Amino acid sequence: MPITNAEIAEVFDRLAALVEIEGDSPFKVRAYQRAARTITSLPVELSQMVQETADLRAVKGIGEQIAAKIHEIVTTGQMQSYERKKAALPEGVLTILEVPGIGPKTAYRIATDLGVTTVDELERALADGRVAALPRMGEKATESILQTLQTRGAKGKRLPVSLTLPIAEQVIAALRERCPSLKTLAPAGSLRRFEETVGDIDLMGTSDDPEKVLDAFADLPLVSEVLVHGPKKASVLVKGMQIDLRIVPEDQFGSLMQYFTGSREHNIQLRELAVRKGLSINEYGITHVDTGEMVAFSDEASLYSYLDLQYIPPELRQGLDEIDLARQGAIPHLIEEADLLGDLHAHTDQSDGRDPLEAMIQAARERGLQYIAITDHSRSSTIANGLNEDRLRHHVQHIRELDSLLPDIKVLAGSEVDIRADGTMDYSDEILADLDFVVGSVHSAMEQDKAAMTRRVVRAMENPRVDVIGHLTCRLLGHRHPTNADVEVVLQAALRTGTAVEINCLPHRLDIKDTHARRARDLGVPMIISTDSHKFEDYSQARLGIGIARRAWCEPKHVLNTLPLEGFLASIKGHKRR
Ligand SMILES: [Zn+2]
Ligand SMILES: [Zn+2]
């Protein structure tokens, strides 16, 4: 098996960590991290490119040195410089690095100063305060790491929903291709509820020939190991994830889907409600306790309706107050991807995006968007090739020229402007005033304490030119904790200043998260779902932000970019005190 892009990216990620531990130049660290990101997003396999002797340097973001390393790992299966560094590491560092929330230097100290080599030992060192005593750690950070460790499933890692979804889709597509007899096939469980992380994937299907489908499932080339292979159910491993497939007759599908979608808390409440009606629910149907008569359901809506409940979308099945609200008929019509008419955060190759302006606009038109904002980085983001005033002026001019040629889409000339450590913006007010749209984002000094970080973001919101705050908490799933910003105070300030808050759809960000979005919704803070696209394919990540918004009970009216252009502009500009 040739080495995959994901595996190569992993090596670069680790190499970056090891270089950081050695204290080498931060530019080198970032170059490797960037290489990892570039490689992950490539549409072609590098092993194939090497085989076809394609010039890797033709790939944007891959320079001579990186290309040589890729060539080495593809042809020999190893990268010598990485292997050498790895061999020199104290035992345990790499294991500890796998744990989300722990950076390279801290992992190194935990292994060397505390002699920790396994995850179990780490859990003890976190619990008894030894890790908290290390520099740059503290109690809050250790507590959340401990929490992450304790929520890992019995089989190990939980993956972010954004990574799990494509795995499920790949398996579904592969199985559909092999089994024309397959009727329905869809994910259930935490993936369908769009939980932030997913422990394993549950797939539910209907077919007249279940055994044939289950055989084909176990035989998929994607499958690395078959765990269970029965007449109605099979479990396999794909990319380290357990995937369970259940096949039932069509007339039971609704019950099955409802049962395995959960959540556990939701289903417990539903069962309690049923008991009060003299009914009992299981995965096959609803039984009348007195007569023993069982009713099967082919779809979930009729199951909920049998219990005198409105249909409850999976994202809302959290075991909160959704059943009560369904009884009152108060479940709202949640936002859907098709409701989004614009995208307000996109980068081009003028800063750290991959594609030129023209390609980004063309792809947005093809998606049927009515408007987009091009928001390349501001001057202080040197790592992201941010634009100085001169380059910005030319870029804006170019955007406006193209915009004037395109009747079917409005292209707003914007910028993702750094919020500096003191809360001032990275461009002058005069320059901001000339832009059609301004995303204000924190990209530096992320370790500020709560008071400083909160003040910083609030100050940015108080700037009348800042339309929306990008990725408010700056978390990177599995890699970086959220900043110390007090989200409640920031949301209150958003309300007061009329600044929108972004739901950033980048798979490793998903920022703000569902509970914050719910709070924003309840407060009446305007939200914008933005893809933060760095290449044209990224527009399709909008569905991730939609998942968050749905878990937050958002209707189209809670999200500004569901409005047509005129309404959107009136709303965003009207909200701010200008
Ligand atoms: Zn950003
Ligand atoms: Zn961005």
Side-chain angles (χ1 to χ4, degrees), residues 135-171:
R136 287 196 306 270
M137 286 308 288
E139 253 167 54
K140 194 187 161 215
T142 47
E143 220 166 81
S144 81
I145 297 168
L146 197 56
Q147 244 172 27
T148 316
L149 279 182
Q150 287 163 349
T151 51
R152 282 151 84 108
K155 286 175 293 296
K157 273 194 195 171
R158 292 180 69 86
L159 282 183
V161 61
S162 50
L163 300 181
T164 321
L165 193 57
I167 298 178
E169 286 171 340
Q170 214 181 347
V171 169

Side-chain angles (χ1 to χ4, degrees), residues 326-356:
R327 197 163 32 206
Q328 300 159 25
I331 300 288
H333 183 81
L334 299 180
I335 187 169
E336 291 167 16
E337 200 178 338
D339 294 322
L340 294 180
L341 303 183
D343 197 331
L344 285 305
H345 190 160
H347 298 270
T348 71
D349 61 1
Q350 286 300 302
S351 64
D352 61 347
R354 185 196 67 192
D355 296 321

Side-chain angles (χ1 to χ4, degrees), residues 70-82:
I70 293 172
H71 195 272
E72 182 192 358
I73 197 170
V74 168
T75 49
T76 68
Q78 282 198 335
M79 189 194 293
Q80 280 307 322
S81 52
Y82 167 69

Side-chain angles (χ1 to χ4, degrees), residues 47-62:
S47 56
Q48 195 186 334
M49 288 182 70
V50 168
Q51 203 181 18
E52 290 163 357
T53 65
D55 189 355
L56 298 177
R57 288 168 308 174
V59 179
K60 189 175 154 40
I62 293 185

Side-chain angles (χ1 to χ4, degrees), residues 122-412:
L122 173 64
E123 212 170 321
R124 278 197 293 278
L126 284 162
D128 64 22
R130 276 178 293 151
V131 175
L134 291 177
R136 287 196 306 270
M137 286 308 288
E139 253 167 54
K140 194 187 161 215
T142 47
E143 220 166 81
S144 81
I145 297 168
L146 197 56
Q147 244 172 27
T148 316
L149 279 182
Q150 287 163 349
T151 51
R152 282 151 84 108
K155 286 175 293 296
K157 273 194 195 171
R158 292 180 69 86
L159 282 183
V161 61
S162 50
L163 300 181
T164 321
L165 193 57
I167 298 178
E169 286 171 340
Q170 214 181 347
V171 169
I172 288 173
L175 195 54
R176 280 210 170 281
E177 200 177 289
R178 282 158 177 252
C179 291
S181 76
L182 197 53
K183 288 174 182 154
T184 319
L185 180 61
S190 49
L191 178 58
R192 183 165 181 240
R193 299 197 311 275
F194 214 83
E195 294 274 352
E196 193 157 274
T197 60
V198 173
D200 48 27
I201 299 173
D202 296 295
L203 297 179
M204 307 291 140
T206 59
S207 165
D208 298 331
D209 194 352
E211 287 189 38
K212 198 168 157 194
V213 174
L214 291 165
D215 286 348
F217 176 62
D219 278 345
L220 287 178
L222 289 162
V223 168
S224 58
E225 194 182 333
V226 179
L227 305 170
V228 179
H229 189 170
K232 288 180 183 167
K233 184 200 154 181
S235 297
V236 302
L237 286 183
V238 173
K239 300 182 182 177
M241 265 252 129
Q242 180 170 338
I243 307 188
D244 299 341
L245 172 64
R246 288 180 173 78
I247 301 290
V248 290
E250 257 171 285
D251 63 343
Q252 292 173 12
F253 186 71
S255 293
L256 180 86
M257 200 62 177
Q258 197 290 318
Y259 185 86
F260 283 102
T261 294
S263 66
R264 197 171 157 268
E265 296 74 20
H266 175 84
N267 282 0
I268 288 173
Q269 291 179 15
L270 204 64
R271 271 204 296 277
E272 286 169 359
L273 173 80
V275 167
R276 289 199 293 274
K277 293 174 182 286
L279 304 169
S280 89
I281 308 181
N282 65 15
E283 60 191 283
Y284 305 106
I286 295 182
T287 308
H288 287 257
V289 177
D290 52 354
T291 61
E293 179 211 355
M294 195 187 83
V295 189
F297 298 93
S298 61
D299 64 280
E300 288 182 318
S302 47
L303 185 154
Y304 279 102
S305 139
Y306 199 80
L307 297 168
D308 300 316
L309 295 174
Q310 202 183 352
Y311 175 72
I312 303 176
E315 295 92 339
L316 301 186
R317 299 181 200 167
Q318 300 172 28
L320 302 171
D321 50 358
E322 69 272 10
I323 290 179
D324 271 345
L325 290 166
R327 197 163 32 206
Q328 300 159 25
I331 300 288
H333 183 81
L334 299 180
I335 187 169
E336 291 167 16
E337 200 178 338
D339 294 322
L340 294 180
L341 303 183
D343 197 331
L344 285 305
H345 190 160
H347 298 270
T348 71
D349 61 1
Q350 286 300 302
S351 64
D352 61 347
R354 185 196 67 192
D355 296 321
L357 178 60
E358 289 80 357
M360 292 305 287
I361 296 175
Q362 182 53 26
R365 291 170 79 192
E366 281 165 15
R367 277 185 74 77
L369 293 177
Q370 296 180 10
Y371 52 97
I372 57 166
I374 298 296
T375 55
D376 278 303
H377 286 285
S378 63
R379 58 182 176 186
S380 286
S381 276
T382 43
I383 300 292
N385 189 24
L387 280 67
N388 62 25
E389 284 85 348
D390 221 30
R391 286 179 60 216
L392 178 70
R393 209 172 302 120
H394 282 105
H395 194 37
V396 165
Q397 202 175 10
H398 188 194
I399 294 169
R400 293 202 169 127
E401 275 164 21
L402 282 180
D403 176 55
S404 67
L405 301 172
L406 301 167
D408 57 346
I409 187 166
K410 176 70 189 174
V411 187
L412 301 170

